[in-house]
Amino acid sequence: MRRLASVELDGPSSGGAAGTLPGVERSGSWPVRLGEATTDGHEPEETARMWHVTLSVSGAEAPLREVRRALEQLAHDHPFLLTSRYANDHAEIRYWEEARDLHDAAAVALRLWGEHRSSAGLPPWEIVGLEVIGRETYRQRVAEGHGPAPVTPVGVHPY
């Protein structure tokens, strides 16, 4: 699971004397909190949830063959990618993300296209839509007939 790290400063605003913040371990001259790290160095189990992500991108036309190859490479690089649909000027990517909360899942999703643009050879398109929903909401939508059918083939497909 991905973990987020934050840095806390010593001083009057931190609620403790310099170097004595509860639950904070020192790393160099800065105290660093990793998740909910305890002073003995053990991290308690965090409750991660599954989030269904739909990322929509769009931009200038690109050859369909290149778009397909790039999305197939993205699926190889990002193993949780479920399905991609594409045309020569837009694409939609759906996948499951494990994250602590919606904010973390959305942050990862918003970085996905840019971080893999070079390695996968993705077109220089911009993100034009993002939906992140919890597992129960996803299941409810599918049960009501408003979501993608569970038999939607996994992989990269043209629109």
Side-chain angles (χ1 to χ4, degrees):
M1 177 194 328
R2 297 177 185 97
R3 297 211 183 267
L4 301 177
S6 63
V7 176
E8 296 181 8
L9 301 174
D10 285 331
S13 64
S14 67
T20 61
L21 295 175
V24 176
E25 297 177 287
R26 282 220 167 261
S27 176
S29 61
W30 294 93
V32 177
R33 182 183 306 273
L34 298 173
E36 296 292 321
T38 60
T39 55
D40 64 1
H42 292 91
E43 293 185 23
E45 295 280 326
E46 286 189 28
T47 304
R49 296 168 53 193
M50 295 302 291
W51 301 90
H52 187 266
V53 176
T54 303
L55 183 69
S56 300
V57 294
S58 181
E61 290 189 8
L64 283 176
R65 186 177 300 194
E66 290 179 23
V67 173
R68 179 180 182 90
R69 187 213 45 78
L71 289 172
E72 288 173 344
Q73 182 62 47
L74 177 62
H76 177 73
D77 293 348
H78 193 285
F80 298 108
L81 191 72
L82 289 179
T83 187
S84 297
R85 299 186 305 166
Y86 66 94
N88 61 349
D89 64 348
H90 66 283
E92 178 183 87
I93 300 164
R94 294 175 181 257
Y95 66 97
W96 288 97
E97 182 68 54
E98 184 178 16
R100 181 184 59 201
D101 58 25
L102 182 136
H103 295 281
D104 289 351
V108 171
L110 289 170
R111 291 191 311 263
L112 178 71
W113 192 261
E115 288 181 355
H116 290 276
R117 183 173 288 151
S118 295
S119 64
L122 298 168
W125 295 344
E126 67 177 331
I127 297 171
V128 295
L130 174 64
E131 179 184 55
V132 180
I133 58 174
R135 185 186 308 195
E136 291 306 313
T137 302
Y138 175 84
R139 288 179 177 165
Q140 181 179 1
R141 285 186 183 178
V142 170
E144 294 172 350
H146 300 296
V151 294
T152 301
V154 173
V156 178
H157 308 282
Y159 272 102

